[in-house]
């Protein structure tokens, strides 16, 4: 199995994850995007 990481569509290496700062707004935007894509797929549970 291969795992890849990306930030804003740009690849990031595993060793750089420790320097990654995620703000509250980043997290909320991420969750909102998941909810939107889920509802678009017709899974409105």
């Amino acid at each position: 199995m291969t795992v890849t990481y990306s930030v804003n569509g740009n690849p990031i290496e595993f060793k750089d994850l420790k320097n990654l700062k995620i703000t509250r707004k980043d997290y909320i935007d991420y969750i909102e995007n998941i909810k939107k894509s889920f509802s678009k797929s017709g899974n409105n549970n």
Side-chain angles (χ1 to χ4, degrees), residues 3 6 9 14 17 23-27 29-31 33-34 37-40 44-45:
V3 177
S6 68
F14 178 79
L17 289 176
T23 66
R24 179 181 167 97
K25 183 184 179 325
D26 292 334
Y27 182 73
D29 290 346
Y30 172 72
I31 297 300
N33 284 334
I34 289 173
S37 66
F38 196 71
S39 65
K40 284 180 185 177
N44 295 335
N45 292 336

Side-chain angles (χ1 to χ4, degrees), residues 3-15:
V3 177
T4 58
Y5 304 94
S6 68
V7 176
N8 296 327
N10 298 315
I12 185 171
E13 294 193 25
F14 178 79
K15 64 182 175 140

